[in-house]
Amino acid sequence: MIHYSMKTLFWRSLVVIFITLGIIGAILPGVPTTVFLILAAWAASKGWPQMDAWLLNHPKYGKTLRNWRENGTVPRKAKWIASVMMLISGILMLFTNAPLLVKVFTDVTMLIVAIWLWLRPEPR
């Protein structure tokens, strides 16, 4: 019988949640994929070494995850895609019935994230 500590179950649960969100992001436009996979790799490094290795060696996302972990870099293409999606989401948010404070908070948060993203170095 396999015995997992509560700590291990916590980290593995986070991995599953983040990978699920990443899969949703790969399917639905406007939902990020890489960000959730970065979070999944981070959680996996805390309590699921096999999944961490699998993510870091993934044929499509592994290089980006390794570059993030080693140097904190974000590819320019990812910056553009994320920025355009945040811009579209911000514009769409203005046309919702959400309270003005929610609209402003959401749009300002996305602007701050976009600025932070463009300040990240790019892989060589």
Side-chain angles (χ1 to χ4, degrees), residues 44-64:
S45 74
K46 306 289 185 192
W48 201 347
Q50 301 89 342
M51 182 59 77
D52 186 44
W54 181 80
L55 286 167
L56 293 177
N57 293 302
H58 189 275
K60 183 171 182 177
Y61 299 106
K63 183 176 179 182
T64 300

Side-chain angles (χ1 to χ4, degrees), residues 2 8 10-11 17 52 54 56 63 73 75 78 80 84 90-92 95 100 104 109 111-112:
I2 298 175
T8 301
F10 170 76
W11 290 116
I17 290 167
D52 186 44
W54 181 80
L56 293 177
K63 183 176 179 182
T73 60
W80 275 109
V84 168
I91 291 169
L92 289 174
F95 295 102
L100 180 60
V104 170
T109 300
L111 176 62
I112 291 168

Side-chain angles (χ1 to χ4, degrees), residues 13-25:
S13 296
L14 280 181
V15 171
V16 171
I17 290 167
F18 290 139
I19 287 177
T20 301
L21 291 170
I23 291 168
I24 292 169

Side-chain angles (χ1 to χ4, degrees), residues 28 33 57 105-107 111-112:
L28 293 177
T33 300
N57 293 302
F105 176 78
T106 303
D107 286 356
L111 176 62
I112 291 168

Side-chain angles (χ1 to χ4, degrees), residues 54-115:
W54 181 80
L55 286 167
L56 293 177
N57 293 302
H58 189 275
K60 183 171 182 177
Y61 299 106
K63 183 176 179 182
T64 300
L65 295 173
R66 287 189 307 274
N67 284 337
W68 173 258
R69 185 173 285 176
E70 293 165 8
N71 305 307
T73 60
V74 178
R76 183 168 295 192
K77 181 179 176 183
K79 291 178 181 182
W80 275 109
I81 291 170
S83 298
V84 168
M85 296 312 294
M86 285 187 283
L87 178 63
I88 292 168
S89 298
I91 291 169
L92 289 174
M93 176 62 90
L94 297 175
F95 295 102
T96 67
N97 291 330
L100 180 60
L101 189 59
V102 171
K103 293 177 184 183
V104 170
F105 176 78
T106 303
D107 286 356
V108 168
T109 300
M110 285 191 285
L111 176 62
I112 291 168
V113 169
I115 291 168

